[in-house]
Amino acid sequence: MLAFPDSFPEGPPRSSRIRLLLWLFGRARWGVLASALISSVRFVSLVLLPLVLGLAIDSGLSEGLTAQVWAYGAGLVGLGLLAAGADSLSHIAEVRNWMKTAYTVVTNVDNHVSRTGERMTRSTATGKVVAVVASDAAYLGNILEVAGSVIGGLVAYLVVAWLLLQESALMAAIVLLGLPLVTAANLLVSIPLQRRQATHREAQGELTSLASDTVAGLRILRGIGGEDVFTERYREQSQSVRAAGVRVSNWAALLSALQILLPGILVVAVVWVSAALAVRGEVSAGQLVTFYGYTAFLRDPVTRIGYFFIHASRAWVAAKKVVELLRVEPATGRLGDADLPGTPLPLPERGELLHDGATGVSIPAGALTVLVSPSPDTSAALLSRLARLDDDASALVRLAGSPVADFRIADVRQTVVYSQANPQLFSGKLTAELDVRDREDRLDLLAALAVADARDVLESLPEGLDGSITEKGRSLSGGQRQRVALARAVATEAPVLLLVEPTSAVDAHTEKRIAANLARHRAGRTTVVVSASPLVLEHAENVVFLGADGRERARGTHRELMDRARDGDPVAREYYRVVTRRDLDEEEVDHAAPAR
């Protein structure tokens, strides 16, 4: 069994598919060499069988049943046992090479996708990533699986050629010229097969993406009555995949037929010529049997060479897909930075902690700050820049007085934790969902759930913290999912916590409790929240009102801004309109209206 590595394999080349294939071969070189040696022993043993059989026939015809014939018989048994043992060992070596190569590709692609994050999702469809892991990795493994047996077959071919040269130059010429011609014919057929396989893989990736999107948005599709439309789109794409698959199958069938036909023609030619030589007395009966045995044997390595071209064409297409994924650069830092151990950065206890140069907005240290804007997306965009989700967008952001991009991304992630408006939950135990930093402190997890007012989630799971959550948290309501995500962020105990609309899916009573819990739990630490809810704003030590362009227009506590609005401050009145969803003039009219 292959041992799970302590770390992901490093250094897959991303410049070209040829370099990627050579890199994979280099990693599996000893396995391929072992497979080649074992396959050579197997094939050479099979080559010697017709030679020994021919010698036994000639000896028996000329001298009868002598000790020499028995010795030849024992030699045949020994060669058969040797070939059988080598066959078993070569199969083990081939499967190991396939598993190691496919596993290397899967781990590197998986690690690269996790490193590049959102940049990967923006540039590559989900279906293509799934197709690379599910199919292309196996195709790359196949090429190294058969490489050793092809080398062994070529060694046996050279042995046959040398033996034939000892017996008949004409027979040697037929075999030496016949096999390259057969190989060339297979190669010519594999070229159009490769093009059709590439088209089929593209269509298959699009179909997988369409299926993934349809399943993920099934509830929305039902709400708008769009199931039939998307079902028809899936049917059309499915038929495109089927048609492309048929075209691939046609050429694959032609190649398979040539693998049988062409070696068969070669066998017929060798047998016919050797029979003619035997009639003229130029070769013996034993030699005739040997020549036939050689050509019958050669069908196996020739077939393997044909399969090698099929696997090579698939691997060539698969390598292109893998390289395209590996060329995607991460949005933050450099490849591998996120794998390094991170250490929380030293932060000031007071004064400015975060500053966005694009808008001029500053966030003080050690306080609960709430960002309010007429457009929540504006505030969320500011928070994503402060979280350094994209180095290009965060180029003007400063953390503790220094450009945030100058810090190691691993250290930034240990210091600043960001939770988006629609966070992703994963299937598995609740403890694994919450304890993303492997602290293994169940009391801290319970405290985080209490802050998020998520005790009902705990009670809904029969096994409590050890209970399981289904994929994407589908077993939970929208509010429960949001509170579990908030508890997950709180459980990190990060020095800086950035939250986007953490209470948008809960009722007012729950929101009020969460706001109070969060302010109490995070007292003295920097917490920035995007929200326009008065229940959250009441607990903010600092409220920053942003304009449509993201620039700061007003700052203060919630009560201060509300008082300024009532005093006629136009910016504060706009703030009032955003957080109350009504104009201050309307409230004054309501208060002035006589009671009835």
Side-chain angles (χ1 to χ4, degrees), residues 254-276:
L254 176 60
L255 184 57
S256 298
L258 290 178
Q259 291 172 0
I260 298 175
L261 176 63
L262 296 181
I265 293 175
L266 182 61
V267 169
V268 170
V270 169
V271 171
W272 186 85
V273 172
S274 59

Side-chain angles (χ1 to χ4, degrees), residues 305-515:
I305 292 174
Y307 281 126
F308 175 80
F309 285 118
I310 292 178
H311 292 313
S313 64
R314 290 175 177 172
W316 186 248
V317 175
K320 179 183 178 182
K321 304 290 185 185
V322 173
V323 168
E324 288 176 352
L325 290 184
L326 295 179
R327 283 177 178 169
V328 178
E329 294 289 342
T332 56
R334 298 172 300 174
L335 282 175
D337 285 354
D339 296 335
L340 302 174
T343 304
L345 298 169
L347 303 177
E349 296 182 359
R350 59 180 60 88
E352 181 184 84
L353 176 63
L354 288 164
H355 177 80
D356 180 38
T359 60
V361 176
S362 297
I363 303 298
L368 171 58
T369 301
V370 179
L371 303 179
V372 182
S373 172
S375 172
D377 291 341
T378 301
S379 303
L382 171 59
L383 215 61
S384 68
R385 293 195 297 273
L386 297 178
R388 192 186 169 187
L389 300 184
D390 189 314
D391 280 347
D392 294 336
S394 302
L396 300 179
V397 173
R398 301 180 73 84
L399 173 63
S402 300
V404 69
D406 289 352
F407 296 108
R408 294 193 317 157
I409 189 62
D411 295 340
V412 174
R413 293 290 176 259
Q414 287 291 320
T415 306
V416 181
V417 167
Y418 170 83
S419 180
Q420 59 187 7
N422 299 305
Q424 176 74 44
L425 296 185
F426 304 92
S427 59
K429 291 185 177 181
L430 182 59
T431 50
E433 186 70 45
L434 298 175
D435 192 15
V436 294
R437 293 193 172 175
D438 295 328
R439 294 181 176 175
E440 299 182 355
D441 191 326
R442 298 172 72 89
L443 292 178
D444 285 348
L445 300 183
L446 292 173
L449 288 170
V451 171
D453 199 48
R455 295 184 184 86
D456 59 320
V457 175
L458 197 62
E459 294 169 357
S460 67
L461 300 174
E463 298 176 356
L465 283 175
D466 294 322
S468 296
I469 295 179
T470 57
E471 181 186 5
K472 295 184 178 181
R474 291 194 177 97
S475 58
L476 306 176
S477 67
Q480 287 177 321
R481 288 196 295 270
Q482 190 175 59
R483 284 178 286 146
V484 169
L486 175 58
R488 179 176 60 190
V490 170
T492 63
E493 299 293 349
V496 181
L497 185 60
L498 309 179
L499 306 172
V500 180
E501 299 284 358
T503 58
S504 59
V506 301
D507 60 75
H509 296 290
T510 304
E511 184 177 32
K512 182 177 181 180
R513 292 193 296 269
I514 292 175

Side-chain angles (χ1 to χ4, degrees), residues 65 95 188 202 230 298 394 441 445 517 557:
L65 189 60
V95 171
L188 290 176
E202 289 287 346
F230 275 79
L298 285 178
S394 302
D441 191 326
L445 300 183
N517 294 340
T557 66

Side-chain angles (χ1 to χ4, degrees), residues 369-373 531-534 537-538 540-546 552-580 584:
T369 301
V370 179
L371 303 179
V372 182
S373 172
S531 178
S533 170
L537 293 166
E538 282 287 349
E541 301 165 72
N542 197 38
V543 176
V544 180
F545 181 54
L546 307 176
E552 179 180 328
R553 300 191 63 193
R555 181 185 292 254
T557 66
H558 174 60
R559 292 186 180 276
E560 289 173 350
L561 292 174
M562 295 294 280
D563 290 340
R564 286 160 55 183
R566 295 187 180 95
D567 291 339
D569 185 329
V571 176
R573 288 174 71 92
E574 187 176 346
Y575 168 81
Y576 182 98
R577 188 181 307 114
V578 171
V579 299
T580 64
L584 186 59

Side-chain angles (χ1 to χ4, degrees), residues 95-418:
V95 171
R96 182 179 178 83
N97 290 337
W98 174 79
M99 291 182 64
K100 182 175 182 178
T101 303
Y103 185 77
T104 297
V105 173
V106 169
T107 51
N108 273 277
V109 169
D110 178 72
N111 196 31
H112 190 79
V113 169
S114 66
R115 287 168 170 175
T116 51
E118 190 176 357
R119 184 68 63 84
M120 178 67 73
T121 59
R122 289 202 302 262
S123 62
T124 308
T126 303
K128 291 186 177 181
V129 178
V130 173
V132 166
V133 174
S135 302
D136 293 320
Y139 293 152
L140 290 169
N142 289 145
I143 192 68
L144 293 176
E145 174 189 7
V146 302
S149 62
V150 169
I151 295 173
L154 290 175
V155 169
Y157 163 73
L158 295 176
V159 172
V160 169
W162 182 80
L163 291 174
L164 285 172
L165 283 173
Q166 309 305 310
E167 304 290 343
S168 170
L170 177 61
M171 295 301 301
I174 293 175
V175 174
L176 289 174
L177 293 176
L179 185 58
L181 290 176
V182 170
T183 304
N186 287 329
L187 178 60
L188 290 176
V189 175
S190 69
I191 294 175
L193 174 61
Q194 175 187 325
R195 291 197 298 266
R196 284 159 177 79
Q197 285 175 334
T199 303
H200 181 246
R201 296 293 301 121
E202 289 287 346
Q204 201 171 35
E206 293 176 6
L207 181 64
T208 304
S209 297
L210 183 59
S212 176
D213 292 342
T214 302
V215 171
L218 188 58
R219 182 179 300 179
I220 298 175
L221 291 176
R222 286 175 176 171
I224 63 176
E227 304 103 313
D228 293 340
V229 174
F230 275 79
T231 299
E232 180 62 23
R233 291 180 185 176
Y234 183 85
R235 188 194 68 79
E236 292 176 357
Q237 185 62 30
S238 177
Q239 291 303 311
S240 299
V241 174
R242 183 194 63 80
V246 169
R247 290 190 290 271
V248 170
S249 300
N250 290 337
W251 283 92
L254 176 60
L255 184 57
S256 298
L258 290 178
Q259 291 172 0
I260 298 175
L261 176 63
L262 296 181
I265 293 175
L266 182 61
V267 169
V268 170
V270 169
V271 171
W272 186 85
V273 172
S274 59
L277 293 176
V279 169
R280 292 201 298 266
E282 297 181 18
V283 297
S284 65
Q287 289 177 312
L288 173 61
V289 172
T290 298
F291 293 156
Y292 171 76
Y294 287 158
T295 52
F297 155 76
L298 285 178
R299 294 183 60 181
D300 188 11
V302 170
T303 301
R304 288 177 179 268
I305 292 174
Y307 281 126
F308 175 80
F309 285 118
I310 292 178
H311 292 313
S313 64
R314 290 175 177 172
W316 186 248
V317 175
K320 179 183 178 182
K321 304 290 185 185
V322 173
V323 168
E324 288 176 352
L325 290 184
L326 295 179
R327 283 177 178 169
V328 178
E329 294 289 342
T332 56
R334 298 172 300 174
L335 282 175
D337 285 354
D339 296 335
L340 302 174
T343 304
L345 298 169
L347 303 177
E349 296 182 359
R350 59 180 60 88
E352 181 184 84
L353 176 63
L354 288 164
H355 177 80
D356 180 38
T359 60
V361 176
S362 297
I363 303 298
L368 171 58
T369 301
V370 179
L371 303 179
V372 182
S373 172
S375 172
D377 291 341
T378 301
S379 303
L382 171 59
L383 215 61
S384 68
R385 293 195 297 273
L386 297 178
R388 192 186 169 187
L389 300 184
D390 189 314
D391 280 347
D392 294 336
S394 302
L396 300 179
V397 173
R398 301 180 73 84
L399 173 63
S402 300
V404 69
D406 289 352
F407 296 108
R408 294 193 317 157
I409 189 62
D411 295 340
V412 174
R413 293 290 176 259
Q414 287 291 320
T415 306
V416 181
V417 167
Y418 170 83

Side-chain angles (χ1 to χ4, degrees), residues 523-544:
R525 289 179 290 180
T526 305
T527 306
V528 187
V529 180
V530 171
S531 178
S533 170
L535 296 173
V536 176
L537 293 166
E538 282 287 349
H539 295 275
E541 301 165 72
N542 197 38
V543 176
V544 180

Side-chain angles (χ1 to χ4, degrees), residues 22-105:
L22 291 175
W23 180 79
L24 291 173
F25 179 82
R27 289 187 58 83
R29 60 186 180 277
W30 298 115
V32 173
L33 179 61
S35 175
L37 291 175
I38 298 172
S39 296
S40 298
V41 172
R42 171 176 175 257
F43 285 133
V44 170
S45 299
L46 294 175
V47 164
L48 295 178
L49 281 173
L51 173 63
V52 175
L53 179 60
L55 293 174
I57 291 174
D58 286 341
S59 176
L61 291 176
S62 62
E63 301 178 12
L65 189 60
T66 62
Q68 188 177 29
V69 173
W70 286 105
Y72 285 137
L76 290 173
V77 173
L79 289 172
L81 293 175
L82 181 60
D87 184 46
S88 298
L89 293 177
S90 66
H91 178 70
I92 293 173
E94 290 169 2
V95 171
R96 182 179 178 83
N97 290 337
W98 174 79
M99 291 182 64
K100 182 175 182 178
T101 303
Y103 185 77
T104 297
V105 173

